[in-house]
Amino acid sequence: MTDPIIRVNDLGKTFGSGMRLSLAKQADEVRAVDGCSFEINRSETLALVGESGCGKSTLGRLLLRLIDATAGKVYFENTELTDLPAARMRDMRRHLQMIFQDPYGSLSPRRTIAQIIAEPLDVFGLVRSGRQRRERVADLMTQVGLSPSFMDRHPRQFSGGQRQRIGIARAIAVDPSFIVADEPVSALDVSVQAQIINLMQDLQKQKGFSFLFIAHDLAVVRHIADRVAVMYLGRIVEIGPKKQIYGMPQHPYTQALLSAAPEPDPDRKGKRIILEGDVPSPKRVPSGCSFHTRCPIRQDICGIERPPLREVAPGQLAACHFAKPFPIPRPTSSQAVPA
Amino acid sequence: MTVPLLKVDNLAVEFGPKANPIRVVDGVSFEITAGGAVGIVGESGSGKSITSLSILRLISEPPGRIVQGRIEFNGVNLLELPRSKMPDIRGRDIAMIFQEPMSSLNPVMTIGDQIGEAIKLHEAMTGEERRARVIEMLRLVGIPDPAGRLDAYPHQFSGGMRQRVMIAMALACNPKLLIADEPTTALDVTIQAQVLDLMHKLRRTLNTAVLLISHDLGVIADVCERVVVMYAGRVVEEADIRSIFRTPQHPYTRGLLQSIPRLDDDRDRLYQIPGSVPLAGSVKKGCPFYERCSLRIEKCMNKMPPMFSFGPDQRAACWVTASQADAKEKEAALQ
Amino acid sequence: MAVSIEHSELPSPSLAPEPRALSRLGYELFSRTSTMFAFAVVVIFVFVAVFAPLLAPYDPLAQSILKINRLPSADNWLGTDQFGRDVLSRMIYGSRNSLIFGLISPVLAAICGTVLGVVAGYFGGIIDRIISRLIDLLLAFPELLLAIMIAAVLGGGFWNVIAVITVAFVPGFARVARASTLAVKQEPYVEAAIAVGVRTPVIIFRHVIPNIAAPIVVLMTLWVASAIRLEASLSFLGIGTQPPNPSWGNIIRDGLNNLFGSPWPIIGAGFAITCVVLSFNLLGDAVRDVLDPEISE
């Protein structure tokens, strides 16, 4: 029944573990990603959510092998990507594309829009003539809502939202089957974010690619995700279908994240779980459950034994010894905004 | 009728050469009462940060300059004060915290010295008293073991802790007004929750008025009592917090509220405002929102709407919604 | 397609016009008197070098026992040297050597240095360490000393001098190229190119080199001046342009023998070197202002 396009098995990445002469070898190691396993189904959108430094961007790059893993395996349609030779990996990139966070930095400043969008087409020899290339670029620009007449302009002349559209056009140019989007809207103005989220949602429906959508904000992915994974200090602490994660989160960190975001509603001030302290440095991940230093429901065992991800409801997994449903209180339809 | 603590009246700020200036803030007016909390919400280029910087006259001249308006603090027009008087106001009467807790602290000075310096500038105290005051401030903002952290340097603190230190520094001299420019934007959600909570607590204990600048309507809803919505350098709507969120009258406010993703709604699609945010000063005539507005009529293109009143506590600059409200009122009167 | 209409951006009439690099260069050149002056000097310099045979009143190599060590006169504006050769003509012909050296060596050095620097910066690791140490080694020697050393081994002569100056300049270019490459490599658009599937050599030529070109070009214009100065120094020391061929450096050297009889050859050649070197430095600054996006935007 399930048809995973991406399978991730015990994936890990430790930075600074290479050759080093210093004695403080252990202390320098940063475990950015640690023992992550999950699957992404065909045409599914998995949202990966977590605070800064939780390793979500690293995980996204590991899947596309923009950085090499130090442990575990990634499979794309039964091909193991993690040990593929560089040349074969490059061929695989036709199916695996990425949309970047920074719409200002991710477009080469000295190249025209047409050159940027056509680059993947050229790499994989998908266009034969200059005319065909321009036609294809014009078509792609129309699909992302840009006027093809701007084809020969340079990125600096466009606004953030327009640049992100260009980045999306580049990613869908080769018709990939899997796209990683790393915080694609967090650098954009509020009124433009919705445009880009809707655009990506529609393109995904239309083209059927699978999607890993990385964000730091649970609200942003609510409309686009099928399933949500929550990361804390390099580990996935909860993963499950959207409805359950938003309605019945089981891990105390997910619950805190959901309640911490200030809602644009003056009648719901200050009703939130406030976590103590800061996120610990990934150089010194706490023993046992890495969340136990801030957890409101911790007990003695949490500092000793690391809880595994276990099924707490159909399709929903949480890594907590004391996982229990925690319905997020929601007033009935507070939406009174006239159209 | 009470005199407001801060009254900004018809403020305009220009940048660039005098011959061809770019007006990044135009005709901005609002008031803050003592102990009140006002939020300015807007996107990039809306002029919200420039407005806040103008209050303390922190705009670098050139290229910027305040070309018109009054900024009255306790009845005194700050724009008419001699420049040499401003440092007395800054820090003592009006304090400011910025978005970047990283770069707003001097990396080679201890936390204790930096807060102490702020106090030393404005209040005569012995070293002992000052030290006690610094510890008290650090405890107030929730730094654990404040006496022990006095001699720590900024890099030894995390982002959230640094923002707390910034707040402690800003509040050290008991200012009457705290201007906070995107104070939580650089912080993680769980840390933001802590800082917002702290701001609530401080407002209750110290009764400091707050002017909060943010692009995040959630943060604004959490902290403020009144909201000023800015777009392309102009105030497009101003109201008490409930009216803004319940009965927004400007099409931009409405669009903005509908387009933000929320945790609690099950819409399949987000509402979207078409187009992009105009560059500051690029709209020369008519309503700045005209290009993107779904309600626009021909009049909007040529004539900038004034602020119309919608009820006692709400004003918005829109020709269309004003006439609709007008019509509704007449209808009600007839019945 | 239904999607496209709904997602359309508004037509943006306010899209900023494309600024032209050339018109900006022109503006930069003529908006400041000093750069305009520098530009004029360089134009005259190139003109003189190209049309030397037409401009020089005498053959620069023709000796005459009758006219040894003359002071400036209507016939010989800058006087004559110890072999009775016209100093002005030698200077005019000497400008050719200066121009050729001044252009060829920095260009060659820029090419070699960029290749080394980009390779070191992009690939990093052991390659970077080897190249960087090599560069440090070369940088440890003052360029003139290095040039003298190499010239002592290889001997004088046109190509040897070019090789000498090039080697002396490579480390500077390599350093700048390496540092810029390290910065550009961190840019998201390089990662984006990798993610798209672009091959490494293409990434280097298409995405790295165009974005590090600005500092290299600036360095090149600045070092045209250094190359002219270095060639003069080497010729002065007798290991540059070999007599009887004229060059500004050996005009000064020849002039030294008769410094108190007639200082004019030294003054003339020295003035020419100063003017040209200064002008290229000023032009280099102007080029930097145009190419540096921080300043120009």
Side-chain angles (χ1 to χ4, degrees):
Chain A
M1 189 208 100
T2 52
D3 178 18
I5 192 164
I6 291 277
R7 276 190 295 136
V8 180
N9 208 335
D10 207 22
L11 195 64
K13 173 70 186 178
T14 309
F15 287 106
S17 60
M19 256 195 326
R20 186 138 318 164
L21 296 172
S22 81
L23 290 170
K25 193 172 164 185
Q26 284 296 317
D28 280 354
E29 281 190 3
V30 174
R31 290 198 155 185
V33 172
D34 188 11
C36 286
S37 303
F38 57 91
E39 291 175 350
I40 301 174
N41 293 330
R42 206 170 288 279
S43 302
E44 182 191 48
T45 301
L46 176 70
L48 188 59
V49 178
E51 295 179 279
S52 58
C54 73
K56 55 189 191 298
S57 288
T58 308
L59 182 55
R61 282 169 170 74
L62 286 175
L63 295 194
L64 299 187
R65 249 186 85 183
L66 289 173
I67 43 182
D68 283 316
T70 46
K73 291 183 166 68
V74 177
Y75 296 90
F76 167 71
E77 289 183 332
N78 298 323
T79 312
E80 186 183 336
L81 297 181
T82 18
D83 66 351
L84 221 52
R88 292 267 327 271
M89 186 61 219
R90 212 167 30 237
D91 294 338
M92 288 308 263
R93 294 199 185 285
R94 183 169 169 193
H95 310 291
L96 311 163
Q97 290 287 320
M98 183 147 181
I99 297 167
F100 291 85
Q101 168 176 15
D102 177 5
Y104 295 89
S106 58
L107 308 175
S108 235
R110 288 175 200 278
R111 299 179 63 73
T112 64
I113 304 314
Q115 285 172 327
I116 290 169
I117 296 178
E119 187 156 46
L121 298 173
D122 293 336
V123 166
F124 298 107
L126 297 181
V127 283
R128 256 167 243 102
S129 64
R131 224 188 100 206
Q132 201 189 354
R133 179 186 302 115
R134 288 184 74 82
E135 275 170 11
R136 188 84 183 91
V137 168
D139 176 40
L140 285 163
M141 288 180 77
T142 319
Q143 285 187 43
V144 298
L146 288 170
S147 159
S149 59
F150 297 146
M151 199 184 280
D152 296 314
R153 303 292 191 112
H154 285 93
R156 63 170 169 274
Q157 295 169 282
F158 292 86
S159 70
Q162 291 167 324
R163 285 181 212 215
Q164 202 53 288
R165 288 169 191 265
I166 297 165
I168 293 170
R170 169 173 62 186
I172 61 168
V174 288
D175 252 322
S177 26
F178 177 57
I179 295 182
V180 172
D182 185 11
E183 303 237 21
V185 299
S186 60
L188 303 178
D189 272 316
V190 186
S191 72
V192 180
Q193 285 187 359
Q195 295 172 8
I196 300 297
I197 291 175
N198 284 346
L199 172 67
M200 288 190 290
Q201 200 174 1
D202 290 344
L203 285 171
Q204 198 231 2
K205 264 187 205 137
Q206 200 179 73
K207 299 184 181 286
F209 50 79
S210 305
F211 212 4
L212 180 72
F213 194 107
I214 302 171
H216 64 267
D217 185 349
L218 274 165
V220 165
V221 296
R222 165 130 196 161
H223 300 274
I224 199 164
D226 298 314
R227 286 193 304 145
V228 179
V230 178
M231 265 184 103
Y232 186 76
L233 280 178
R235 293 176 188 160
I236 291 178
V237 296
E238 183 159 12
I239 181 168
K242 168 167 77 176
K243 219 170 220 147
Q244 278 155 264
I245 294 287
Y246 285 90
M248 282 287 181
Q250 303 244 3
H251 195 283
Y253 179 63
T254 315
Q255 294 159 3
L257 265 189
L258 277 168
S259 84
E263 289 275 300
D265 187 337
D267 291 330
R268 243 188 289 151
K269 284 189 191 194
K271 277 181 227 150
R272 41 174 114 92
I273 307 169
I274 307 238
L275 293 178
E276 311 159 18
D278 288 310
V279 184
S281 155
K283 280 184 193 168
R284 286 180 297 274
V285 176
S287 62
C289 172
S290 47
F291 184 58
H292 83 265
T293 50
R294 304 173 75 196
C295 184
I297 59 165
R298 67 172 163 252
Q299 298 193 16
D300 290 344
I301 187 179
C302 303
I304 302 157
E305 201 179 308
R306 176 177 162 188
L309 260 184
R310 62 190 171 88
E311 190 150 36
V312 290
Q316 184 178 10
L317 290 80
C320 178
H321 293 299
F322 307 100
K324 62 167 191 293
F326 178 89
I328 294 286
R330 297 257 173 262
T332 45
S333 182
S334 60
Q335 295 283 86
V337 180
Chain B
M1 184 71 217
T2 52
V3 180
L5 177 70
L6 178 81
K7 185 177 174 192
V8 174
D9 187 26
N10 200 20
L11 179 75
V13 182
E14 287 182 350
F15 273 78
K18 277 215 169 81
N20 185 21
I22 300 166
R23 205 164 253 227
V24 292
V25 170
D26 197 1
V28 167
S29 309
F30 61 92
E31 290 176 5
I32 305 176
T33 53
V38 173
I40 303 185
V41 68
E43 299 177 278
S44 58
S46 64
K48 58 186 192 301
S49 285
I50 299 293
T51 304
S52 70
L53 289 172
S54 315
I55 295 169
L56 283 177
R57 287 171 67 185
L58 287 172
I59 292 184
S60 50
E61 291 178 49
R65 64 200 162 271
I66 297 169
V67 289
Q68 72 176 40
R70 295 172 66 79
I71 295 173
E72 277 176 29
F73 182 74
N74 269 339
V76 178
N77 187 355
L78 296 183
L79 296 181
E80 281 167 2
L81 277 186
R83 212 151 252 292
S84 56
K85 282 267 163 48
M86 282 312 292
D88 295 340
I89 307 262
R90 292 178 199 143
R92 196 189 60 197
D93 292 325
I94 306 178
M96 189 151 183
I97 50 177
F98 298 93
Q99 174 177 351
E100 237 353 293
M102 219 62 100
S103 48
S104 305
L105 289 167
N106 185 343
V108 298
M109 267 172 87
T110 65
I111 295 298
D113 285 348
Q114 292 193 51
I115 303 177
E117 193 185 36
I119 301 172
K120 195 158 41 170
L121 283 175
H122 300 293
E123 280 174 53
M125 274 190 191
T126 64
E128 273 306 297
E129 284 171 340
R130 202 157 54 227
R131 198 184 150 82
R133 179 71 168 278
V134 172
I135 294 175
E136 185 200 320
M137 290 314 300
L138 287 177
R139 180 170 298 125
L140 192 66
V141 297
I143 304 259
D145 182 23
R149 303 305 297 265
L150 273 189
D151 297 322
Y153 288 90
H155 70 90
Q156 293 166 298
F157 287 77
S158 66
M161 284 294 157
R162 272 187 222 140
Q163 197 58 289
R164 284 166 190 264
V165 171
M166 284 302 301
I167 294 173
M169 205 150 101
L171 297 178
C173 294
N174 254 326
K176 296 183 191 75
L177 173 65
L178 175 69
I179 302 177
D181 189 355
E182 304 265 10
T184 59
T185 306
L187 305 177
D188 278 320
V189 191
T190 56
I191 309 299
Q192 166 172 291
Q194 294 171 357
V195 172
L196 291 180
D197 195 49
L198 172 68
M199 287 183 75
H200 277 296
K201 207 179 86 193
L202 291 176
R203 277 200 57 218
R204 275 199 305 272
T205 44
L206 303 176
N207 197 32
T208 312
V210 173
L211 177 63
L212 179 75
I213 321 292
S214 183
H215 69 280
D216 186 337
L217 280 162
V219 173
I220 297 270
D222 195 88
V223 175
C224 301
E225 291 154 2
R226 287 191 69 76
V227 185
V228 176
V229 183
M230 286 186 72
Y231 187 80
R234 287 178 170 279
V235 174
V236 293
E237 182 155 9
E238 195 217 334
D240 65 284
I241 189 91
R242 188 144 294 129
S243 308
I244 283 281
F245 286 92
R246 292 283 174 264
T247 55
Q249 294 297 347
H250 197 279
Y252 172 64
T253 319
R254 290 180 188 176
L256 201 58
L257 276 168
Q258 283 180 294
S259 65
I260 36 178
R262 301 169 58 122
L263 284 169
D264 63 346
D265 80 64
D266 294 313
R267 287 177 295 172
D268 279 339
R269 283 180 70 80
L270 289 166
Y271 174 82
Q272 61 184 46
I273 308 177
S276 13
V277 183
L279 291 173
S282 64
V283 181
K284 300 277 186 222
K285 65 169 190 176
C287 174
F289 192 58
Y290 176 78
E291 284 281 326
R292 308 173 71 189
C293 187
S294 55
L295 300 178
R296 66 182 177 200
I297 53 173
E298 216 181 317
K299 190 177 189 182
C300 308
M301 188 169 63
N302 299 315
K303 219 166 161 208
M304 173 70 200
M307 292 294 272
F308 294 102
S309 281
F310 296 80
D313 250 342
Q314 186 168 21
R315 296 183 305 136
C318 179
W319 293 115
V320 182
T321 52
S323 64
Q324 283 170 355
D326 227 26
K328 222 178 260 172
E329 217 168 81
K330 271 181 197 147
E331 212 171 280
L334 280 176
Q335 286 168 2
Chain C
M1 206 169 302
V3 180
S4 61
I5 297 163
E6 190 186 344
H7 285 301
S8 276
E9 279 272 331
L10 293 170
S12 306
S14 54
L15 212 57
E18 188 97 351
R20 304 300 311 178
L22 269 181
S23 68
R24 280 221 317 277
L25 183 67
Y27 175 80
E28 197 63 44
L29 279 181
F30 299 110
S31 64
R32 256 184 290 176
T33 33
S34 60
T35 36
M36 215 162 92
F37 172 76
F39 186 66
V41 169
V42 169
V43 167
I44 293 171
F45 170 58
V46 173
F47 180 82
V48 166
V50 171
F51 295 103
L54 302 176
L55 295 170
Y58 300 96
D59 179 352
L61 303 182
Q63 305 186 359
S64 164
I65 296 201
L66 299 175
K67 299 206 286 184
I68 287 173
N69 288 342
R70 289 240 178 115
L71 282 171
S73 65
D75 287 343
N76 309 95
W77 290 4
L78 284 175
T80 58
D81 63 8
Q82 76 253 43
F83 300 109
R85 296 173 298 201
D86 179 45
V87 172
L88 180 66
S89 303
R90 285 181 71 72
M91 265 187 61
I92 290 172
Y93 273 92
S95 68
R96 293 188 144 188
N97 269 324
S98 298
L99 182 68
I100 290 170
F101 283 108
L103 290 184
I104 293 183
S105 333
V107 169
L108 283 180
I111 293 170
C112 301
T114 307
V115 169
L116 281 177
V118 168
V119 166
Y122 192 84
F123 293 102
I126 189 81
I127 301 173
D128 181 29
R129 275 188 228 172
I130 292 172
I131 294 178
S132 295
R133 288 301 90 75
L134 207 72
I135 292 168
D136 289 346
L137 203 72
L138 286 174
L139 274 176
F141 291 96
E143 47 192 51
L144 186 62
L145 204 64
L146 190 71
I148 292 173
M149 232 167 59
I150 300 173
V153 176
L154 298 177
F158 181 80
W159 285 108
N160 285 351
V161 176
I162 290 210
V164 163
I165 300 180
T166 306
V167 171
F169 283 178
V170 162
F173 283 105
R175 273 210 155 176
V176 170
R178 177 176 171 273
S180 317
T181 305
L182 284 178
V184 169
K185 200 181 139 192
Q186 299 299 320
E187 293 287 341
Y189 57 79
V190 172
E191 196 186 24
I194 298 172
V196 157
V198 183
R199 282 161 200 280
T200 309
V202 182
I203 291 179
I204 290 179
F205 278 105
R206 201 183 273 171
H207 297 288
V208 176
I209 290 182
N211 288 299
I212 65 164
I216 304 274
V217 169
V218 171
L219 199 62
M220 214 157 72
T221 37
L222 292 176
W223 280 16
V224 167
S226 299
I228 291 173
R229 186 176 48 80
L230 205 54
E231 190 274 335
S233 310
L234 288 175
S235 300
F236 173 79
L237 293 169
I239 43 182
T241 309
Q242 293 302 305
N245 287 325
S247 115
W248 291 351
N250 60 28
I251 291 171
I252 293 180
R253 190 180 55 160
D254 293 344
L256 268 185
N257 297 328
N258 191 25
L259 177 64
F260 299 106
S262 166
W264 297 106
I266 295 181
I267 293 175
F271 182 71
I273 293 171
T274 312
C275 272
V276 169
V277 168
L278 189 68
S279 301
F280 270 106
N281 275 328
L282 287 172
L283 271 192
D285 286 347
V287 172
R288 184 194 54 211
D289 291 353
V290 171
L291 290 182
D292 190 341
E294 301 268 323
I295 297 176
S296 64
E297 268 180 32

